[in-house]
Amino acid sequence: MSEVKPIQEVDHVIVRFAGDSGDGMQLTGTRFTSATAMAGNDLSTLPDYPAEIRAPAGTLFGVSGFQIHFSNRPIHTPGDNPNVLVAMNPAALKVNIKDLQANSIIIANEDAFTKRNLELAKYEDNPLTDGSLKQFQLFTVPITTLTRNALEGLGLSMKEMDRCKNFFALGMMFWMYSRDMEPTITWIDQKFGSKPAIAEANKRALKAGYNFADTTEIFTTHYKVTEAHIEPGTYRHITGNEAVAMGFIAAGEKSGLSVFLGSYPITPASDILHEMSRHKNFGVKTFQAEDEIAGVCSAIGASFAGNIAVTTTSGPGLALKSEAIGLAVITELPLVIVDVQRGGPSTGLPTKTEQADLLQAYYGRHGESPVPIIAAKSPADCFYAAYEAVQIAIKFMTPVLLLTDGYIANGAEPWRIPEENELSELKVEFATDPDKFAPYYRYPDTLSRMWAVPGTPGLEHRIGGLEKEDITGDVSYDPDNHDKMVRLRAEKIERIADFVEDPEIFGDEEGDILLISWGGTYGTVQTVTEELQQEGKKVSHYHPRWLNPMPKNIE
């Protein structure tokens, strides 16, 4: 019987899983995240993977990683320097070693540190044995060999057995941080139910990793992070892309309208399309278009027909959609365009993040074509940003740009599922009275025009890309009318500031420094502000969500 090892309580931990693109690091990180969420910790994750579909195995540019920061108190970022690095091969160690501080834990799959893999990672000597890692707590484990031993007798090929080594590593981490295996075992049964041998292999590997960590003499301590004190409610962990999809679905349910997504797959926005396609039971319609232009134009058509219309993309796709967004501006139809930002220009850095599209969002169309812009600040906030974008699009009869970014989209955090009565009203009034309808008659408070569903008796009208005469909607080339319509559309966008909440200042109203951030930089700036305030500095933080129009109180 093994000796019971002591459990040490810690406030927070940052773990990074890293390996080859085929080592299943994203799956490993996702399952560890689920277990951490069930343990009641606050958490924030950062998946990081190469742009290549399958980079050469063992190379530095083929390394895939997944970082999770979990804590017994509220946190805002995935963290900086990992406390633990699980390195499945030399390349994973080489790429990530620079981020580790002295005394960090390294768990390395010693089986992968072969002469060939060391050469691919540009190591002259084996770092596991040459003393170069003496400032770290290094644990070398023959993960591949132990996984194969655990799976003997299942009739699997060597390749199939090696695919399970990520679950062996996951089992070790479950033991190290006192995680329950049962939910993951249930997930394995559900995921691989049609392949019982594969399901059994993954479960055996998981349990073998857990038992190895429990019984081996190399691990002397394991750790526990107690539950975080957070607002009561029902929680799930959610990625930004999932939250965007849920926000749109909630808007459809709250308004009573069908939701239509016309989209062309693009990294890192594709998962919104994937998620929404799963929810046909809510009346959601998804259309995978042949290109970006078809995606946005189909959404404009759906909006004309009286639906909540959405299109999703990233920076290069937003450029392609620009003419059609101008069409939505001049026809004054509600539409939400989600731009999950990534590094550019051109194909740029498709799996890395940048807040690189702000000027494109503001000015990336010809003519005078202002569009309101809202930016989500975190994965969970994407739900509320998407919901609010729909509200404004419908209330003001305008396209709205919703900006997220790659790290928000793929990162995850706990999300408290709101009750229906917590969501603000989303009321839609279609025009029905022929005596009161004119295509470009405007409501005095918002300057929005009427929304008339095609086929409504007596409300026959046409809209399109040619400039329209005020009120009648007839085609007009009159310069004075054009000037008037341009100014009306601009004024309509400015009036949005009267209908959205101004952000609150975190900290004192008066002080030495006010930090202003937008989008995905929220977590980092908020963390820095809290740390400086704890040091007694007179620092406050201001984070606007609406970037166009700017908040009324920003001056």
Side-chain angles (χ1 to χ4, degrees):
M1 184 174 179
S2 62
E3 181 183 349
V4 177
K5 299 176 182 178
I7 297 177
Q8 179 181 338
E9 283 198 10
V10 291
D11 291 334
H12 72 104
V13 178
I14 302 170
V15 175
R16 184 180 297 176
F17 299 94
D20 190 70
S21 293
D23 284 339
M25 293 297 94
Q26 302 305 318
L27 175 60
T28 306
T30 300
R31 298 319 309 161
F32 191 80
T33 299
S34 293
T36 299
M38 290 180 181
N41 300 136
D42 197 12
L43 63 91
S44 179
T45 69
L46 177 62
D48 186 26
Y49 46 89
E52 292 80 8
I53 293 174
R54 189 66 175 91
T59 59
L60 296 175
F61 53 87
V63 172
S64 175
F66 189 104
Q67 181 162 305
I68 174 172
H69 181 194
F70 54 102
S71 175
N72 61 10
R73 61 180 186 269
I75 54 175
H76 310 293
T77 75
D80 293 323
N81 307 109
N83 306 111
V84 181
L85 171 65
V86 179
M88 300 298 284
N89 64 7
L93 180 65
K94 186 70 170 285
V95 167
N96 293 285
I97 191 72
K98 64 183 183 301
D99 295 330
L100 300 183
Q101 294 181 332
N103 208 40
S104 297
I105 294 172
I106 299 174
I107 300 174
N109 177 17
E110 63 178 291
D111 289 333
F113 282 71
T114 62
K115 184 175 185 298
R116 173 59 177 161
N117 282 346
L118 290 168
E119 290 174 353
L120 287 171
K122 305 188 186 309
Y123 277 118
E124 294 183 2
D125 300 303
N126 189 340
L128 303 185
T129 58
D130 66 3
S132 62
L133 303 178
K134 60 184 178 181
Q135 70 270 40
F136 307 110
Q137 299 180 60
L138 175 63
F139 300 98
T140 58
V141 181
I143 293 176
T144 305
T145 298
L146 292 171
T147 302
R148 292 174 181 174
N149 292 343
L151 305 187
E152 284 183 358
L154 287 178
L156 300 179
S157 67
M158 199 70 72
K159 185 176 182 181
E160 287 173 324
M161 288 192 287
D162 287 351
R163 284 177 179 166
C164 298
K165 63 182 182 288
N166 62 322
F167 276 97
F168 188 98
L170 180 62
M172 287 194 296
M173 297 308 295
F174 276 0
W175 177 85
M176 181 171 283
Y177 289 101
S178 309
R179 296 286 176 250
D180 184 3
M181 285 190 293
E182 287 306 315
T184 298
I185 290 172
T186 301
W187 178 87
I188 290 171
D189 285 331
Q190 293 171 344
K191 178 71 174 178
F192 301 103
S194 61
K195 300 176 181 178
I198 300 299
E200 179 62 24
N202 284 321
K203 288 189 289 186
R204 281 195 192 182
L206 181 72
K207 293 175 182 177
Y210 189 98
N211 293 331
F212 172 80
D214 187 27
T215 57
T216 184
E217 294 183 359
I218 66 172
F219 296 121
T220 58
T221 306
H222 58 144
Y223 305 90
K224 182 177 181 180
V225 179
T226 58
E227 290 186 20
H229 299 289
I230 55 178
E231 182 182 357
T234 302
Y235 284 81
R236 59 162 285 184
H237 79 277
I238 197 167
T239 68
N241 277 342
E242 290 171 338
V244 166
M246 295 297 178
F248 290 140
I249 294 168
E253 289 296 293
K254 197 75 172 179
S255 66
L257 300 183
S258 295
V259 179
F260 176 90
L261 171 63
S263 190
Y264 179 76
I266 183 172
T267 302
S270 299
D271 282 340
I272 302 174
L273 175 61
H274 299 160
E275 182 64 27
M276 292 187 69
S277 70
R278 298 187 181 105
H279 297 285
K280 298 180 180 67
N281 56 306
F282 289 112
V284 175
K285 300 177 180 67
T286 53
F287 168 54
Q288 181 174 319
E290 65 270 28
D291 56 42
E292 295 282 2
I293 298 170
V296 64
C297 288
S298 67
I300 291 172
S303 177
F304 181 57
N307 299 276
I308 291 176
V310 182
T311 188
T312 54
T313 191
S314 189
L318 186 62
L320 291 168
K321 293 180 189 293
S322 61
E323 182 182 0
I325 296 172
L327 174 62
V329 169
I330 199 169
T331 56
E332 300 188 48
L333 285 169
L335 170 70
V336 179
I337 307 105
V338 183
D339 176 16
V340 185
Q341 300 169 92
R342 70 191 207 192
S346 187
T347 307
L349 307 170
T351 61
K352 311 302 178 186
T353 202
E354 278 187 9
Q355 293 191 166
D357 296 344
L358 182 60
L359 293 181
Q360 181 177 206
Y362 259 93
Y363 306 116
R365 296 164 298 282
H366 70 284
E368 300 289 340
S369 49
V371 170
I373 305 166
I374 186 173
K377 67 181 182 182
S378 69
D381 185 54
C382 285
F383 173 86
Y384 297 99
Y387 188 88
E388 192 170 345
V390 173
Q391 281 185 304
I392 294 301
I394 289 173
K395 188 175 187 67
F396 286 85
M397 292 294 287
T398 179
V400 174
L401 264 164
L402 168 55
L403 299 180
T404 72
D405 63 52
Y407 286 170
I408 291 177
N410 294 316
E413 65 179 351
W415 171 53
R416 188 182 70 82
I417 302 172
E419 298 293 334
E420 183 184 351
N421 59 12
E422 295 179 58
L423 298 177
S424 54
E425 183 181 39
L426 215 171
K427 188 176 181 181
V428 178
E429 292 186 3
F430 292 112
T432 57
D433 187 349
D435 294 332
K436 297 180 179 179
F437 175 74
Y440 283 87
Y441 166 83
R442 298 180 185 277
Y443 295 109
D445 56 344
T446 62
L447 294 183
S448 65
R449 73 175 190 86
M450 292 181 167
W451 194 5
V453 177
T456 304
L459 303 190
E460 293 82 359
H461 66 286
R462 66 178 151 200
I463 55 176
L466 293 174
E467 184 63 280
K468 300 296 183 288
E469 183 179 69
D470 184 31
I471 300 179
T472 68
D474 294 338
V475 173
S476 173
Y477 295 98
D478 178 70
D480 292 332
N481 178 77
H482 176 58
D483 178 74
K484 181 178 183 180
M485 295 295 277
V486 163
R487 294 181 186 278
L488 283 171
R489 289 190 289 262
E491 173 64 19
K492 180 175 70 169
I493 303 308
E494 290 301 317
R495 290 195 184 187
I496 292 171
D498 296 327
F499 289 85
V500 298
E501 291 186 5
D502 282 341
E504 296 181 359
I505 292 177
F506 176 77
D508 296 331
E509 295 282 336
E510 302 283 338
D512 296 329
I513 294 176
L514 177 65
L515 299 174
I516 302 179
S517 58
W518 72 273
T521 59
Y522 168 81
T524 302
V525 178
Q526 179 71 6
T527 301
V528 169
T529 303
E530 291 176 357
E531 292 176 355
L532 291 173
Q533 288 176 353
Q534 290 169 4
E535 295 174 8
K537 304 291 195 302
K538 295 181 178 179
V539 177
S540 298
H541 180 203
Y542 185 78
H543 188 89
R545 296 172 76 235
W546 283 98
L547 305 177
N548 188 36
M550 296 292 283
K552 295 172 67 177
N553 67 354
I554 193 165
E555 290 187 15

mmCIF file of all heavy atoms in Angstrom, residues 81-83 97 99-105 133-137:
data_model
loop_
_atom_site.group_PDB
_atom_site.id
_atom_site.type_symbol
_atom_site.label_atom_id
_atom_site.label_comp_id
_atom_site.label_asym_id
_atom_site.label_seq_id
_atom_site.Cartn_x
_atom_site.Cartn_y
_atom_site.Cartn_z
ATOM 1 N N ASN A 81 3.548 33.462 -16.600
ATOM 2 C CA ASN A 81 4.570 32.411 -16.482
ATOM 3 C C ASN A 81 3.972 31.152 -15.868
ATOM 4 O O ASN A 81 3.482 31.181 -14.743
ATOM 5 C CB ASN A 81 5.723 32.911 -15.610
ATOM 6 C CG ASN A 81 6.279 34.243 -16.098
ATOM 7 O OD1 ASN A 81 6.095 35.270 -15.459
ATOM 8 N ND2 ASN A 81 6.933 34.215 -17.237
ATOM 9 N N PRO A 82 4.013 30.035 -16.580
ATOM 10 C CA PRO A 82 3.433 28.793 -16.044
ATOM 11 C C PRO A 82 4.174 28.323 -14.797
ATOM 12 O O PRO A 82 5.397 28.432 -14.699
ATOM 13 C CB PRO A 82 3.614 27.796 -17.192
ATOM 14 C CG PRO A 82 3.859 28.621 -18.415
ATOM 15 C CD PRO A 82 4.527 29.863 -17.948
ATOM 16 N N ASN A 83 3.395 27.802 -13.849
ATOM 17 C CA ASN A 83 3.999 27.105 -12.703
ATOM 18 C C ASN A 83 4.372 25.683 -13.067
ATOM 19 O O ASN A 83 5.278 25.104 -12.469
ATOM 20 C CB ASN A 83 3.018 27.075 -11.526
ATOM 21 C CG ASN A 83 2.515 28.453 -11.150
ATOM 22 O OD1 ASN A 83 1.347 28.771 -11.342
ATOM 23 N ND2 ASN A 83 3.392 29.287 -10.611
ATOM 24 N N ILE A 97 10.312 26.986 -22.719
ATOM 25 C CA ILE A 97 11.211 27.111 -21.578
ATOM 26 C C ILE A 97 11.472 28.564 -21.196
ATOM 27 O O ILE A 97 11.642 28.896 -20.016
ATOM 28 C CB ILE A 97 12.553 26.389 -21.877
ATOM 29 C CG1 ILE A 97 13.398 26.261 -20.613
ATOM 30 C CG2 ILE A 97 13.320 27.098 -22.978
ATOM 31 C CD1 ILE A 97 12.871 25.255 -19.640
ATOM 32 N N ASP A 99 9.467 30.923 -20.930
ATOM 33 C CA ASP A 99 8.389 31.496 -20.124
ATOM 34 C C ASP A 99 8.408 31.023 -18.677
ATOM 35 O O ASP A 99 7.617 31.510 -17.858
ATOM 36 C CB ASP A 99 7.027 31.152 -20.740
ATOM 37 C CG ASP A 99 6.834 31.799 -22.098
ATOM 38 O OD1 ASP A 99 7.400 32.882 -22.314
ATOM 39 O OD2 ASP A 99 6.110 31.226 -22.934
ATOM 40 N N LEU A 100 9.279 30.064 -18.359
ATOM 41 C CA LEU A 100 9.293 29.492 -17.014
ATOM 42 C C LEU A 100 10.210 30.281 -16.094
ATOM 43 O O LEU A 100 11.282 30.734 -16.497
ATOM 44 C CB LEU A 100 9.760 28.039 -17.054
ATOM 45 C CG LEU A 100 8.928 27.051 -17.880
ATOM 46 C CD1 LEU A 100 9.486 25.654 -17.745
ATOM 47 C CD2 LEU A 100 7.472 27.080 -17.440
ATOM 48 N N GLN A 101 9.780 30.436 -14.858
ATOM 49 C CA GLN A 101 10.619 31.035 -13.831
ATOM 50 C C GLN A 101 11.294 29.938 -13.021
ATOM 51 O O GLN A 101 10.892 28.776 -13.057
ATOM 52 C CB GLN A 101 9.779 31.928 -12.917
ATOM 53 C CG GLN A 101 9.202 33.148 -13.639
ATOM 54 C CD GLN A 101 8.395 34.048 -12.727
ATOM 55 O OE1 GLN A 101 7.830 33.593 -11.738
ATOM 56 N NE2 GLN A 101 8.345 35.332 -13.048
ATOM 57 N N ALA A 102 12.357 30.304 -12.289
ATOM 58 C CA ALA A 102 13.093 29.332 -11.490
ATOM 59 C C ALA A 102 12.151 28.603 -10.541
ATOM 60 O O ALA A 102 11.201 29.180 -10.006
ATOM 61 C CB ALA A 102 14.204 30.028 -10.714
ATOM 62 N N ASN A 103 12.387 27.325 -10.374
ATOM 63 C CA ASN A 103 11.637 26.438 -9.483
ATOM 64 C C ASN A 103 10.286 26.010 -10.050
ATOM 65 O O ASN A 103 9.514 25.330 -9.372
ATOM 66 C CB ASN A 103 11.431 27.065 -8.092
ATOM 67 C CG ASN A 103 11.292 26.001 -7.007
ATOM 68 O OD1 ASN A 103 12.006 24.989 -7.033
ATOM 69 N ND2 ASN A 103 10.385 26.198 -6.071
ATOM 70 N N SER A 104 9.969 26.401 -11.292
ATOM 71 C CA SER A 104 8.764 25.888 -11.927
ATOM 72 C C SER A 104 8.905 24.382 -12.151
ATOM 73 O O SER A 104 10.014 23.837 -12.232
ATOM 74 C CB SER A 104 8.535 26.584 -13.266
ATOM 75 O OG SER A 104 8.313 27.963 -13.086
ATOM 76 N N ILE A 105 7.760 23.716 -12.255
ATOM 77 C CA ILE A 105 7.751 22.268 -12.450
ATOM 78 C C ILE A 105 7.743 21.952 -13.947
ATOM 79 O O ILE A 105 6.957 22.527 -14.712
ATOM 80 C CB ILE A 105 6.518 21.640 -11.784
ATOM 81 C CG1 ILE A 105 6.594 21.801 -10.258
ATOM 82 C CG2 ILE A 105 6.364 20.172 -12.164
ATOM 83 C CD1 ILE A 105 5.325 21.376 -9.537
ATOM 84 N N LEU A 133 18.713 22.274 -16.884
ATOM 85 C CA LEU A 133 17.400 22.552 -16.280
ATOM 86 C C LEU A 133 17.453 22.488 -14.754
ATOM 87 O O LEU A 133 16.418 22.327 -14.093
ATOM 88 C CB LEU A 133 16.362 21.544 -16.800
ATOM 89 C CG LEU A 133 16.176 21.480 -18.320
ATOM 90 C CD1 LEU A 133 15.163 20.402 -18.687
ATOM 91 C CD2 LEU A 133 15.749 22.825 -18.888
ATOM 92 N N LYS A 134 18.618 22.665 -14.183
ATOM 93 C CA LYS A 134 18.764 22.479 -12.732
ATOM 94 C C LYS A 134 18.011 23.524 -11.912
ATOM 95 O O LYS A 134 17.737 23.297 -10.728
ATOM 96 C CB LYS A 134 20.240 22.486 -12.353
ATOM 97 C CG LYS A 134 20.977 23.763 -12.690
ATOM 98 C CD LYS A 134 22.458 23.635 -12.351
ATOM 99 C CE LYS A 134 23.221 24.907 -12.727
ATOM 100 N NZ LYS A 134 24.670 24.761 -12.411
ATOM 101 N N GLN A 135 17.660 24.671 -12.527
ATOM 102 C CA GLN A 135 16.910 25.692 -11.775
ATOM 103 C C GLN A 135 15.424 25.373 -11.686
ATOM 104 O O GLN A 135 14.672 26.085 -11.024
ATOM 105 C CB GLN A 135 17.110 27.076 -12.394
ATOM 106 C CG GLN A 135 16.449 27.312 -13.740
ATOM 107 C CD GLN A 135 17.357 26.947 -14.898
ATOM 108 O OE1 GLN A 135 18.079 25.940 -14.849
ATOM 109 N NE2 GLN A 135 17.343 27.776 -15.939
ATOM 110 N N PHE A 136 14.991 24.284 -12.352
ATOM 111 C CA PHE A 136 13.589 23.886 -12.337
ATOM 112 C C PHE A 136 13.408 22.582 -11.563
ATOM 113 O O PHE A 136 14.370 21.851 -11.315
ATOM 114 C CB PHE A 136 13.064 23.704 -13.760
ATOM 115 C CG PHE A 136 13.284 24.885 -14.655
ATOM 116 C CD1 PHE A 136 14.191 24.835 -15.703
ATOM 117 C CD2 PHE A 136 12.591 26.073 -14.442
ATOM 118 C CE1 PHE A 136 14.399 25.933 -16.528
ATOM 119 C CE2 PHE A 136 12.791 27.173 -15.263
ATOM 120 C CZ PHE A 136 13.700 27.103 -16.311
ATOM 121 N N GLN A 137 12.153 22.309 -11.190
ATOM 122 C CA GLN A 137 11.811 20.991 -10.634
ATOM 123 C C GLN A 137 11.481 20.081 -11.817
ATOM 124 O O GLN A 137 10.384 20.136 -12.369
ATOM 125 C CB GLN A 137 10.610 21.095 -9.701
ATOM 126 C CG GLN A 137 10.807 21.988 -8.498
ATOM 127 C CD GLN A 137 9.556 22.021 -7.629
ATOM 128 O OE1 GLN A 137 9.102 20.989 -7.119
ATOM 129 N NE2 GLN A 137 8.990 23.216 -7.462
#
